[in-house]
Amino acid sequence: MELYQLCLPESESTPTALYIRTEGTVTRTANHLKLAYDSAVSFDTWFGCFDYLQWRRYTTLTTPIATFFIKGTMLVQCYVRTAERTSLLYEQTVTSDGSQPQVFPFSISNLPENGFLYFRLQAKSENCLFLRGCYLADVSELHAIQVATVICTYQRESWVSNTLQQFLQWQKEHHTLPVDIFLIDNGQTWTEEQLPDSNQIHLIPNQNTGGSGGFTRGIQEALHREKYTHVLLMDDDIIADWNGVQRAISFLSICKPEQRKTLTIGGTMMDITQPAMQFEAGACCQNRCLTGIQPQADLTTLSSLQARMQPIPANYAAWWMCLLPVAAMKQAGLPMPFFIKMDDVEYALQIKEQVVMMTGVCVWHENFHLKYAPWNEYYITRNGCITYALHGQAKNALAVTLELWRTVLHLLFLHRYDTAKFVLQGYRDFLRGWKWLQKTDAISLHRQILQQQQAATEQFQTDCTEVPDSIPQVSFFEATRAAVQKQKSVFLFHPFTKKGFYASRKKGTAFQLLLKMGGISLRMLATYRSVVQGFQKNRTILCEDAVWNRRNQHNSEEK
């Protein structure tokens, strides 16, 4: 059984050091590497190493096999690298014409903790060729895996078309993955004619009930069909790596029996503008705080790669790539109707994810800073409060009120009045309770939120070059109280786009927001406990299959 392949970068924009490291003269021709005499290629990389700690901990694998197709004479060396040292396990010189695989088994039973294994190939004749390589497993028992991949999309045809074409190209060049793709079209802009010709791709038109509704519709489609073992949730604005999907499926197929119904495989998010940069390796949601693990790590460096071999305490894997077990999903029920933001966090806590973050399993995603808008804070605030109320992280009323004051006062000091309004609206709607959320038309509400944003002054539209010299310019994501509050007006600019908006002191607006905050605070102190209990007792009602059917306006009897 093939665990995963030792791939080369498919694009010139992808850093080679994520896949291979070279010494001497190594050139690439098509999918082959040509090595001059004494030159070498090594796989101590994000995609090339063997993270034996995860395979040893969660699977029945004991003796993997490295297989290489090479032409010429090469010295093949097997190393283990830990934070303290790099040790040579064994080496062997082989000569081959490239027609037969060169096989190198190794045991992972007694290897040191927190290290990784890799191979190095050094040419011992002129013009050696590395044709391909992979890791194999000789196992007696396989757990059959069938994956429903759910892609929720809204008017991103070019992104999704690329993902689907890459999937089909992988199927053509390698072997068929046990994967079906459900394209949930929230924008209802796709037609069957636009889809590639494949019985593995299914188009599901849907109302624009946000990411929450789109992903839930896909989950329903998967659960109702009773044929899938796992559901893979993926964003529509990513560059997927299907070799990583194969790696995850191989991992699950030899998973230990006691782990099969609980393990969630999370995909690392890489920054599409900085392809070697890890945005996060999963996250931990604890004490009302969501903390990304190993953020902004350059995975071409050995130090960052070594850090990935430490146990990752993630209890949440974001839905840009998240492979969930159907058995656990059936027990947990469907996601909350949040429209967007925090739905994946809440569901991770609901399903009690046991997250495994594997090396070589990732997607490239647009930097979230480029997507930021003040209206996001409404959903983050409202849905965050609901999430923490549902899952035992609810503070007492006074503590949450103080949290509200700290947040809003900070925004007022930054002259960000529009954002403060969205935050206050989020707290207010949380306090309206579970019945309000149940009855609310999420589509209409979202239109109202966007209309408020259109009327707001906090929009990244003015270029930095248009700002008068008399107005201080402050980076939006680094703005501090000290840098802004003493100024009557500052220009807050986006560090990536170099566009921003003027943030000017408005005493009257600030006073009105303080009054509104006072009213919400009094209501918080009076009703917080009952609101929390309401959400806790009625999550099942909010997430019923029939209720979701009505939201998404489809009839489950049609399936």
Side-chain angles (χ1 to χ4, degrees):
M1 169 188 156
E2 183 178 288
L3 299 179
Y4 58 93
Q5 299 191 20
L6 294 168
C7 294
L8 301 177
E10 295 183 1
S11 167
E12 292 183 0
S13 63
T14 307
T16 301
L18 285 174
Y19 296 83
I20 58 172
R21 302 184 197 278
T22 60
E23 306 164 36
T25 304
V26 179
T27 56
R28 179 175 177 177
T29 304
N31 292 321
H32 306 154
L33 295 177
K34 184 177 181 180
L35 288 75
Y37 178 79
D38 228 23
S39 297
V41 57
S42 63
F43 295 93
D44 48 341
T45 61
W46 163 250
F47 287 106
C49 75
F50 194 87
D51 180 6
Y52 56 80
L53 185 64
Q54 304 278 35
W55 294 88
R56 186 169 65 191
R57 179 179 296 174
Y58 296 111
T59 76
T60 57
L61 184 66
T62 57
T63 310
I65 303 166
T67 300
F68 303 109
F69 285 82
I70 59 177
K71 192 171 183 179
T73 300
M74 285 192 176
L75 172 65
V76 179
Q77 299 172 305
C78 179
Y79 288 94
V80 170
R81 175 173 279 139
T82 64
E84 292 76 28
R85 66 178 66 87
T86 300
S87 306
L88 176 65
L89 284 187
Y90 68 83
E91 61 182 8
Q92 181 180 346
T93 300
V94 295
T95 300
S96 174
D97 63 0
S99 62
Q100 297 296 320
Q102 304 301 305
V103 177
F104 303 91
F106 56 93
S107 173
I108 62 175
S109 301
N110 299 314
L111 297 179
E113 292 293 319
N114 305 330
F116 64 88
L117 181 143
Y118 69 95
F119 281 82
R120 177 179 180 271
L121 282 65
Q122 185 174 16
K124 291 303 177 183
S125 63
E126 288 293 342
N127 298 325
C128 288
L129 293 180
F130 171 80
L131 303 176
R132 56 191 173 93
C134 65
Y135 290 107
L136 305 175
D138 184 9
V139 291
S140 58
E141 182 181 356
L142 292 176
H143 176 55
I145 302 296
Q146 192 70 34
V147 177
T149 296
V150 177
I151 301 175
C152 171
T153 185
Y154 183 81
Q155 298 181 358
R156 286 199 173 111
E157 281 80 356
S158 61
W159 282 97
V160 175
S161 294
N162 185 55
T163 297
L164 298 180
Q165 291 297 338
Q166 287 180 330
F167 169 71
L168 295 178
Q169 188 67 24
W170 168 268
Q171 301 288 68
K172 179 180 178 181
E173 294 180 356
H174 302 89
H175 52 77
T176 301
L177 289 171
V179 170
D180 289 331
I181 295 178
F182 293 90
L183 180 59
I184 312 301
D185 180 19
N186 274 9
Q188 299 190 33
T189 53
W190 282 79
T191 64
E192 292 286 350
E193 290 72 25
Q194 291 174 276
L195 290 180
D197 185 16
S198 170
N199 59 10
Q200 291 180 272
I201 300 174
H202 312 277
L203 177 63
I204 311 291
N206 198 54
Q207 292 295 312
N208 182 24
T209 47
S212 303
F215 279 122
T216 300
R217 177 71 188 274
I219 291 169
Q220 288 179 295
E221 295 288 338
L223 297 186
H224 290 163
R225 280 167 168 77
E226 296 288 347
K227 63 177 283 190
Y228 300 105
T229 60
H230 292 79
V231 174
L232 173 60
L233 304 177
M234 298 177 72
D235 271 346
D236 63 346
D237 54 348
I238 61 169
I239 297 175
D241 181 82
W242 293 102
N243 190 42
V245 175
Q246 183 208 357
R247 189 181 306 211
I249 291 174
S250 299
F251 188 88
L252 292 169
S253 69
I254 57 174
C255 193
K256 292 177 181 177
E258 63 270 22
Q259 307 282 3
R260 287 176 183 168
K261 295 182 179 181
T262 59
L263 281 189
T264 292
I265 306 295
T268 293
M269 176 182 152
M270 310 290 280
D271 188 339
I272 206 167
T273 60
Q274 304 175 80
M277 197 64 67
Q278 172 179 271
F279 175 79
E280 70 175 34
C284 183
C285 185
Q286 192 172 15
N287 299 325
R288 300 178 66 87
C289 183
L290 186 64
T291 305
I293 297 171
Q294 297 174 355
Q296 301 305 303
D298 183 350
L299 293 183
T300 61
T301 66
L302 289 173
S303 58
S304 293
L305 186 60
Q306 186 62 51
R308 278 300 305 263
M309 304 306 145
Q310 308 299 319
I312 294 179
N315 64 356
Y316 154 65
W319 287 355
W320 51 66
M321 182 182 181
C322 182
L323 186 56
L324 293 156
V326 163
M329 299 175 83
K330 286 183 175 180
Q331 187 173 0
L334 296 173
M336 282 286 286
F338 281 169
F339 195 81
I340 58 170
K341 303 296 181 185
M342 296 295 290
D343 44 4
D344 48 2
V345 179
E346 191 281 330
Y347 199 60
L349 298 175
Q350 174 69 13
I351 207 171
K352 297 179 174 58
E353 287 181 359
Q354 184 182 358
V355 178
V356 176
M357 301 298 300
M358 300 177 63
T359 56
V361 178
C362 67
V363 298
W364 284 268
H365 197 296
E366 190 176 30
N367 190 300
F368 281 113
H369 285 330
L370 293 171
K371 294 183 169 187
Y372 180 82
W375 63 264
N376 291 167
E377 300 297 341
Y378 166 76
Y379 289 107
I380 293 170
T381 301
R382 187 197 71 179
N383 299 343
C385 286
I386 296 172
T387 296
Y388 301 134
L390 283 170
H391 298 289
Q393 298 188 14
K395 295 183 179 181
N396 60 48
L398 179 59
V400 176
T401 303
L402 291 174
E403 187 178 86
L404 158 65
W405 277 75
R406 282 193 296 270
T407 301
V408 174
L409 286 176
H410 176 70
L411 291 169
L412 296 183
F413 282 126
L414 296 180
H415 311 330
R416 289 180 56 194
Y417 306 112
D418 292 325
T419 302
K421 291 176 185 177
F422 283 122
V423 170
L424 287 171
Q425 186 175 347
Y427 277 107
R428 182 201 66 188
D429 286 354
F430 160 69
L431 290 173
R432 289 179 170 182
W434 74 274
K435 288 185 178 179
W436 175 86
L437 186 65
Q438 181 189 37
K439 296 176 182 178
T440 296
D441 182 343
I443 301 172
S444 297
L445 175 61
H446 188 60
R447 290 196 193 104
Q448 295 172 17
I449 295 294
L450 293 182
Q451 287 171 0
Q452 291 173 237
Q453 176 62 48
Q454 289 171 0
T457 59
E458 295 181 25
Q459 300 191 49
F460 298 96
Q461 295 179 342
T462 305
D463 193 273
C464 286
T465 58
E466 301 174 15
V467 179
D469 294 338
S470 58
I471 304 294
Q473 296 191 27
V474 181
S475 177
F476 178 81
F477 297 107
E478 298 174 3
T480 63
R481 175 177 169 179
V484 175
Q485 72 175 87
K486 294 182 180 180
Q487 305 291 337
K488 289 185 178 181
S489 181
V490 298
F491 184 76
L492 298 177
F493 69 91
H494 198 296
F496 290 92
T497 64
K498 303 302 180 184
K499 294 182 180 293
F501 56 87
Y502 293 98
S504 303
R505 185 184 302 159
K506 300 175 183 178
K507 292 183 179 180
T509 301
F511 182 72
Q512 291 175 0
L513 291 172
L514 286 171
L515 289 177
K516 184 179 288 188
M517 182 169 63
I520 293 174
S521 298
L522 291 174
R523 188 176 176 186
M524 182 81 73
L525 293 170
T527 66
Y528 180 72
R529 185 176 179 181
S530 63
V531 170
V532 168
Q533 291 174 345
F535 278 110
Q536 291 175 345
K537 291 178 181 178
N538 295 284
R539 185 194 187 280
T540 301
I541 295 176
L542 289 167
C543 303
E544 286 180 341
D545 194 76
V547 175
W548 266 115
N549 287 341
R550 290 195 293 272
R551 291 192 191 105
N552 285 320
Q553 295 186 11
H554 74 284
N555 188 344
S556 61
E557 294 178 357
E558 294 176 1
K559 288 182 280 298

